[in-house]
């Protein structure tokens, strides 16, 4: 790429002034101690001397300093950075210093971001491995036991095959969720936006998981009685999945004898906010920012007694953001958690 050279005359101008003043001082001293001089001649000569000095110094700047400045630009790859491609190379030291410092800050931030991503990648791969190997090893264990002779016992054979089937179902569940979140991230799933009653959707979810909640003596309820429908515009199937994932999470991590409460309120003239609140164990502050990462679990013990693919909240986030809406989390240890998201009202 042909570089445009931005000339800086400050250095040459100041240097020429200093040299000319020194020249004048020398001439006047010579005049004082040796002989008289014509002042007009001295002044005229000073102007010529100043101009000659200026052009000489500027020439040296352009051909000596410029080469070194350009090398600095090349060395720090400023010319390959989008923000610097169309900028001229300057010999002004203040400007150059500012640009190099900015470049260094940007590169430092980029390196830190890459380190964070690398850590996330390692953790993600570790989590995927853990999620997949648990059901795989379970299936393998039951099948090997059958092959080693247990197949002859009809009761054991049926029991072990049923348990292996559960392991296969868990693998399918994880793979389906991975496939969905991948499609959501690349925008391959189109939203079928229709008008529907969000109260009815929540009630459907309550009906589906009433028995699951009853097993932990958790009550599923609305914050108030909604006598009229609340119409919204969104993809009904995917919003039902959002509500499902959030309600299931509240049951999964709720305390026995607790409650999961859903409230629907007007947020603005054209928005409603859906709140899913529980009185469970709560979430520590440092974990809240990472809740929506794939496979991230607050419980680091590795226990999987509650099941799930570890992708539920990540899917929720992508669905809500796919609707250009917002999702929020508030939680306090020992008090409970509240997940809320916005939806557009139907006109």
């Amino acid at each position: 790429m042909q570089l445009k050279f931005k000339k800086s005359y400050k250095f040459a101008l100041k240097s020429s002034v200093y040299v000319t003043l020194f020249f004048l001082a020398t001439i006047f001293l010579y005049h004082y101690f040796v002989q008289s001089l014509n002042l007009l001649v001295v002044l005229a000569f000073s102007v010529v001397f100043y101009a000659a000095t200026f052009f000489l110094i500027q020439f040296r700047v352009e051909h000596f300093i410029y080469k070194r400045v350009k090398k600095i630009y090349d060395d720090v790859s400023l010319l390959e950075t989008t923000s610097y491609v169309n900028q001229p190379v300057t010999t002004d030291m203040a400007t150059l210093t500012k640009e190099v410092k900015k470049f260094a800050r940007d590169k430092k931030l980029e390196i830190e971001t890459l380190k964070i991503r690398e850590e996330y990648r390692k953790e993600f791969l570790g989590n995927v491995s853990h999620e997949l190997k648990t059901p795989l090893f379970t299936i393998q264990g039951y099948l090997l036991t059958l092959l080693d002779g247990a197949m002859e016992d009809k009761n054991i054979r049926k029991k072990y095959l049923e348990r292996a089937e559960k392991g296969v179902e868990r693998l399918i569940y994880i793979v389906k969720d991975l496939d969905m979140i991948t499609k959501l991230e690349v925008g391959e799933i189109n939203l079928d936006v229709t008008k529907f009653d969000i109260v009815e959707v929540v009630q459907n979810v309550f009906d589906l998981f009433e028995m699951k909640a009853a097993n932990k003596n958790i009550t599923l309820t609305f914050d108030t009685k909604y006598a009229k429908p609340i119409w919204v515009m969104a993809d009904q199937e995917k919003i039902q999945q959002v509500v499902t994932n959030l309600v299931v999470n509240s049951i999964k991590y709720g305390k026995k004898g607790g409650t999961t409460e859903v409230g629907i309120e007007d947020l603005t003239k054209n928005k409603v906010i859906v709140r899913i609140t529980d009185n469970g164990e709560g979430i520590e502050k440092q974990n809240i920012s990472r809740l929506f990462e794939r496979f991230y679990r607050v419980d680091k013990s590795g226990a999987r007694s509650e099941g799930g693919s570890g992708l539920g909240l990540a899917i929720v986030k992508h669905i809500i953001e796919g609707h250009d809406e917002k999702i929020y989390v508030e939680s306090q240890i020992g008090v409970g958690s509240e997940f809320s998201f916005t939806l557009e009202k139907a006109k």
Side-chain angles (χ1 to χ4, degrees):
M1 179 182 292
Q2 186 64 34
L3 294 172
K4 180 183 177 183
F5 175 43
K6 179 183 176 183
K7 297 181 180 180
S8 177
Y9 296 103
K10 291 181 181 180
F11 176 78
L13 286 169
K14 289 183 179 179
S15 299
S16 300
V17 169
Y18 297 148
V19 173
T20 303
L21 288 175
F22 177 77
F23 168 74
L24 286 173
T26 304
I27 293 296
F28 282 118
L29 285 173
Y30 178 79
H31 164 67
Y32 181 79
F33 289 107
V34 181
Q35 62 183 26
S36 60
L37 295 173
N38 189 322
L39 290 177
L40 290 175
V41 173
V42 171
L43 291 174
F45 188 76
S46 298
V47 171
V48 174
F49 183 83
Y50 174 80
T53 304
F54 169 77
F55 286 112
L56 179 62
I57 293 174
Q58 185 62 27
F59 176 81
R60 293 295 297 156
V61 167
E62 291 181 14
H63 290 80
F64 180 76
I65 299 179
Y66 171 70
K67 291 180 181 179
R68 285 152 181 78
V69 170
K70 181 180 178 299
K71 189 175 185 304
I72 294 174
Y73 273 78
D74 293 338
D75 288 345
V76 297
S77 302
L78 286 175
L79 303 180
E80 297 176 5
T81 305
T82 305
S83 57
Y84 290 99
V85 168
N86 298 319
Q87 291 190 9
V89 175
T90 178
T91 56
D92 181 66
M93 292 298 110
T95 303
L96 177 62
T97 302
K98 183 179 178 181
E99 289 179 353
V100 170
K101 284 183 178 179
K102 183 180 182 301
F103 172 80
R105 286 196 303 269
D106 292 344
K107 286 298 178 185
K108 183 180 179 181
L109 181 61
E110 184 179 337
I111 290 169
E112 290 174 352
T113 303
L114 289 172
K115 285 180 179 178
I116 293 171
R117 287 179 179 175
E118 177 65 14
E119 287 299 317
Y120 172 76
R121 185 188 67 82
K122 289 178 180 177
E123 187 173 342
F124 172 70
L125 290 175
N127 286 333
V128 172
S129 173
H130 185 87
E131 294 289 346
L132 293 177
K133 76 181 181 183
T134 302
L136 279 173
F137 288 168
T138 301
I139 296 166
Q140 184 185 44
Y142 288 128
L143 293 179
L144 287 175
T145 303
L146 290 172
L147 291 172
D148 286 343
M151 194 180 297
E152 303 302 324
D153 188 318
K154 186 177 180 180
N155 292 328
I156 292 178
R157 181 174 65 205
K158 182 179 179 182
K159 182 171 68 173
Y160 279 21
L161 285 174
E162 286 174 348
R163 290 181 179 178
E165 183 189 17
K166 287 182 180 179
V168 173
E169 286 176 356
R170 176 161 170 74
L171 280 175
I172 292 171
Y173 183 54
I174 293 171
V175 171
K176 280 184 176 179
D177 276 0
L178 272 172
D179 180 58
M180 172 173 282
I181 200 169
T182 301
K183 289 179 179 178
L184 284 169
E185 286 178 344
V186 299
E188 287 185 4
I189 296 182
N190 296 321
L191 298 177
D192 181 19
V193 177
T194 58
K195 178 181 176 181
F196 64 92
D197 179 14
I198 185 63
V199 177
E200 183 183 356
V201 167
V202 175
Q203 186 60 59
N204 290 340
V205 173
F206 281 175
D207 294 341
L208 283 170
F209 296 99
E210 185 177 9
M211 289 185 63
K212 184 180 180 71
N215 290 336
K216 291 186 69 174
N217 196 24
I218 290 176
T219 303
L220 303 178
T221 181
F222 284 100
D223 64 336
T224 187
K225 185 176 180 180
Y226 293 95
K228 296 180 180 180
I230 298 176
W231 300 103
V232 296
M233 293 296 296
D235 186 315
Q236 183 173 348
E237 183 182 342
K238 290 185 174 57
I239 294 303
Q240 180 158 330
Q241 184 172 5
V242 167
V243 176
T244 296
N245 289 0
L246 294 177
V247 168
V248 168
N249 258 23
S250 71
I251 296 171
K252 190 185 299 182
Y253 300 108
K255 64 181 180 182
K256 290 186 177 181
T259 60
T260 293
E261 184 181 90
V262 176
I264 306 162
E265 306 170 11
D266 287 338
L267 184 64
T268 63
K269 184 178 179 181
N270 62 338
K271 297 281 184 183
V272 297
I273 187 165
V274 182
R275 304 181 188 275
I276 293 93
T277 309
D278 65 60
N279 55 357
E281 60 189 34
I283 306 163
E284 292 183 355
K285 189 175 181 181
Q286 64 266 26
N287 291 318
I288 290 178
S289 62
R290 300 192 62 190
L291 283 177
F292 298 104
E293 291 180 13
R294 291 175 291 180
F295 296 115
Y296 183 79
R297 292 181 186 266
V298 174
D299 180 11
K300 296 300 182 184
S301 65
R304 296 296 185 266
S305 59
E306 294 291 350
S309 67
L311 296 167
L313 288 180
I315 290 172
V316 165
K317 180 175 181 289
H318 282 289
I319 290 175
I320 295 300
E321 289 181 349
H323 283 79
D324 292 325
E325 300 293 346
K326 302 291 183 183
I327 186 163
Y328 308 96
V329 186
E330 292 181 10
S331 188
Q332 188 174 342
I333 293 293
V335 177
S337 305
E338 179 182 280
F339 288 80
S340 57
F341 61 90
T342 60
L343 288 174
E344 184 180 350
K345 289 181 183 179
K347 295 181 181 178

